[in-house]
Amino acid sequence: MNLVVVSNRVSRGKPNEPMTGGLAAALLPIVEKSGAIWVGSSGRVRDGNLKEPFAEIEALGTGALAMLDLPAAHYGGYYEGFANSALWPALHSRADLIRATQEDYLSYREVNAFMARALLRFRKTDSAFWIQDYHFLALGAELRDLGVTQPIGFFLHTPWPARSVIGGVPHHRELIEAMLAYDLIGFQTEEDCENFLSYAQSDLGLVVHDGVVISRYGRTRAAVFPIGIDPQQFAQLAAKASTHPDVSRLRRSLNGEKLAIGVDRLDYSKGLINRIKAFDRMWTLHPQLSRTASLLQIATPSRGAIEAYGNLQSEVAKLVSDVNGVHGEVDWTPIRYLNKGYGQAVLAGLYRAAQVGVVTPLQDGMNLVAKEYVAAQNPVDPGVLVLSKFAGAANELDTALLVNPHDIDGMARTIAVALSMPLTERRMRWEAMMAKLRGHTIQQWFADFTDALHECQLDREALAPVVSEPALWPLRSATNGGARYH
């Protein structure tokens, strides 16, 4: 199988290059070792019609990266508009934050169509396309429109919400109908998969049987493929990172005090406000932990042009300042707050230096930080993971200390328990979590999905074509010069 992987952005994977999200960290080793072509945005835009998409291609291990300049006229509406101001909040069950215009939606569809045209140059007879994440819900339909008959799979890295929430997205029906052009749709958890199938059956009125949806495209299988990491490689990174200057300076600065660590993009789904309030409450309830336990919070800025993100950045910074003002001393800072990213090698060392990892999103598809924190620990003296029960990782890492991120007092008590947990219990919990990580690696995720995609294609070929029905998404423009959708 000649695999073409598609995502919004690609990462070159330089050793010290900060990772902006779990998707890039997950896909890099896959592309390097599988020979896949990874196609995505270069981060640049171009003016004009771009009828022949430009791709910059470079080798990555046995695979390759292909970076496209996206159309300037539509990028803002596609990325900051519909993808991240309508889809992202809905997928994280924040319907109150959905903001989108008709122009944003049209730009989203235009970029999906643009990407489909660009992918044709990578198509071979034995190709399969694996589309990643919410930026390209409609890409499969666009590829089918261009005559692509090869297998097309889709994996959603975020949660998929209840029907009532996704129903708040403008054009939700058209988008989900378009998603059924995929042979296989992968989700992080059973709940995500069930929510999607419920919409297909109840809102679209389609036949759903044993995880398969029957639509005008034929059969679409929806299934669960929880994403993993390479725990052995990450453990090796963590061991080597102990001598890195950043890690060494951190250890020296602690002067024997215990450290909790949080590493997140600065996003409202990550629960940063509640987390900081929980530490504030912990130091109030347990004053003996003042000067003996602190928090290192790394929060990488993201999507700053979107109002909700700008507001969050200001709110988090003020709250950190307030908490430090109340609990701090002239020679002790309770919360070290950094607005910058770190490469995987350094992060692994920082995780290993912390006695507690705090991963408390309000909603998260998986959250690979939780898995990385566990893998980075010293087996002789491992730290404790405090994990939101609303992260997909909680389904696997059930010997973490699971918390409700909306319960501030409960989180405060649990963090205090984590800081004082005896070694025997820490080892027991860590060993159980490591066994899960070793059994659900990134390599296994890749193999499971691609095998299932191949099976779906065999099923499609074995069945008679399904009679076509009228399209449910916007009609194509009859003119070549105007907008593609109206």
Side-chain angles (χ1 to χ4, degrees), residues 83-101:
N84 287 308
S85 295
L87 289 175
W88 179 269
L91 293 169
H92 291 85
S93 298
R94 288 298 305 270
D96 58 307
L97 294 178
I98 293 174
R99 307 281 187 274
T101 65

Side-chain angles (χ1 to χ4, degrees), residues 8 44 81 142 274 285 297 320 322 327 330 332 334 361 390 405-406 419 460 483:
N8 175 60
R44 301 182 299 267
E142 296 291 349
N274 289 11
L285 293 173
Q297 178 60 59
V320 169
D322 290 346
H327 298 287
V330 291
W332 182 66
F390 301 124
H406 302 284
L419 287 163
R460 179 186 286 271

Side-chain angles (χ1 to χ4, degrees), residues 281-317:
R281 188 70 175 143
M282 182 192 75
W283 286 309
T284 300
L285 293 173
H286 303 279
Q288 73 275 14
L289 292 176
S290 291
R291 303 181 65 88
T292 65
S294 60
L295 169 66
L296 169 61
Q297 178 60 59
I298 297 171
T300 311
S302 174
R303 304 168 190 162
I306 299 173
E307 183 181 4
Y309 288 81
N311 292 342
L312 177 66
Q313 185 162 6
S314 300
E315 189 178 357
V316 172

